[in-house]
Amino acid sequence: MSARSALIPAAGLFGALPLSAFAQEAPPVADSGDTAWMLVSTVLVLMMTIPGLALYYGGLARSKNVLSVLMNCFAITALVSIIWVVYGYSLTFDATGMVEGVTNFSSFVGGFDRAFLSGLDTSSLNLTFPESIWITFQMTFAIITPALIVGAFAERMKFSAMLWFTGLWVTFVYFPIAHMVWGGPGAFMGSEWGVIDFAGGTVVHINSGIAGLVACIVIGKRKGYPTTHMAPHNLGYSMIGASLLWLGWFGFNAGSAGAADGSAGMAMLVTQIATAAAALGWMFAEWSKSGKPSLLGIITGAIAGLVAVTPAAGTCGPMGAIILGAVAGVISFFASTSLKRALGYDDSFDVFGVHGVAGIIGSLLTGAFAAPALGGFGEVTDIGLQLWIQLKGVLFTIVYTGIISYILLKVIDATIGLRVTEEQEGNGLDLSLHNERGYNL
């Protein structure tokens, strides 16, 4: 079972049962240390999207499209926040009808008992901190996941199409997958299968990486790709953005412990270790292949390491983190360069090559490095069996996300259209869609 799923029965806040049903001996009491840590973690994860991801992607774009990328990230933050309050939190965490050991409809998606945050007040608790913080913390995960997809179709999708895709995608893809992994006892993948996903290897990264791959294929290549040179216009922005992502990821991973405790501390340590290993792995792979290491390469490698350690952060040890990060850095480098060129798809900022590929690597290797025999802190005694469970979770996420994302994109394309005109793309999306310039020199 995922670490996050294990939090839910103790908290007793997501399902129809009252809190007292899960706490017969003593009611939970708010802890100021846990509350403070979760407040900080929530801010850190929000910072990952705005300004972290916005700057990272903005720097990778061409100068005529920088504001369109920033606008996408900011608008997604606002849109998903409202959707989350109206029904997203309920579809993700409402456990009504779920029974451990029984697979039914409620195992795949939540209900509407918590729509509009019904039942929330200032005394509501999740474990030892206010439920309102948990709601906001989880909201930031729902925000960054569709924002990551922007990097795959950047510089060519209509703003209106992006908004429709985001709203539909979180509804039909993100919320169900998150529920299946983190929904608690009876959840299809996290509980019934036993998939380990501490902070979002399947829910966030494979989910966004596969959706990004489908999106860039459906919408088509950028005008002039691959013959026209499309270099990042400001790697300084991207380096600052990547650094903010690295910093914010401590909230992402260590915050998923749900407490200021040893699990959070270990998650923080292995996050740092895996990220460093992946950055070096990408750097040395690129250096070996091209003869020169690049800033773009090392920061992209760091992102790959952050992605890979996400599902494993609650169960792997330091040595496992080094191996996991190094493997993810090297393989993501070849996926984002050689594989992309060979297959010919235009994934603008390597969403699939980094988030999809490193997410798959991390999710699979979590099954091995969670085992105490390999220095992990999980309850894995049969590594082969857990690897099979992790593989099932990866494959299910790929198939489900790929199919639903494709359907949503085709429906939007058939109605309002996905892509800007050739003239708009040539002039840049900043002026064409937003009547602004990134730079007025």
Side-chain angles (χ1 to χ4, degrees), residues 79-91 111-118 135 139 175:
L79 177 63
V80 175
S81 295
I82 301 303
I83 293 174
W84 182 254
V85 169
V86 174
Y87 62 84
Y89 179 68
S90 191
L91 289 182
F112 290 97
D113 281 10
R114 301 305 306 274
F116 297 96
L117 304 185
S118 174
I135 291 170
M139 178 193 293
F175 301 151

Side-chain angles (χ1 to χ4, degrees), residues 84 141-142 145 169-170 172-178 182 203-204 207:
W84 182 254
F141 280 68
T145 307
W169 190 85
V170 294
F172 294 103
V173 179
Y174 180 83
F175 301 151
I177 290 291
W182 296 331
V203 178
V204 177
N207 224 359

Side-chain angles (χ1 to χ4, degrees), residues 16 40 50 63 96 148 178 181 219 291-292 299 324 376 404 439 441:
V40 170
I50 50 172
S63 60
T96 304
L148 291 170
V181 176
I219 198 170
K292 294 180 180 179
I299 63 175
L324 191 153
I404 304 300
Y439 306 96
L441 303 176

Side-chain angles (χ1 to χ4, degrees), residues 127-151:
L127 293 180
T128 55
F129 56 91
E131 181 187 1
S132 56
I133 299 176
W134 183 252
I135 291 170
T136 314
F137 180 70
Q138 285 296 326
M139 178 193 293
T140 60
F141 280 68
I143 286 168
I144 196 170
T145 307
L148 291 170
I149 305 171
V150 166

Side-chain angles (χ1 to χ4, degrees), residues 229-274:
H229 187 51
M230 299 180 180
H233 92 282
N234 194 322
L235 281 176
Y237 286 176
S238 295
M239 186 271 179
I240 294 170
S243 301
L244 290 171
L245 283 165
W246 190 334
L247 174 62
W249 226 286
F250 292 124
F252 200 81
N253 286 354
S256 292
D261 59 10
S263 178
M266 185 60 70
M268 177 173 281
L269 175 61
V270 298
T271 297
Q272 179 71 17
I273 292 170

Side-chain angles (χ1 to χ4, degrees), residues 333-386:
F333 165 71
F334 287 105
S336 300
T337 54
S338 302
L339 178 65
K340 185 169 76 168
R341 282 195 296 268
L343 298 181
Y345 58 87
D346 182 13
D347 180 359
S348 304
F349 306 148
D350 296 313
V351 176
F352 173 70
V354 175
H355 295 275
V357 171
I360 291 169
I361 293 168
S363 294
L364 292 175
L365 292 183
T366 293
F369 292 120
L374 294 179
F377 301 96
E379 298 178 357
V380 175
T381 56
D382 187 334
I383 294 175
L385 175 60
Q386 191 62 45

Side-chain angles (χ1 to χ4, degrees), residues 8 15 112 213 221 254 264-265 288 296 302 326 330 338 365 370 380 383 436 439:
I8 296 169
F112 290 97
L213 177 63
K221 303 172 185 178
S288 175
L296 175 59
V330 172
S338 302
L365 292 183
V380 175
I383 294 175
E436 296 175 303
Y439 306 96

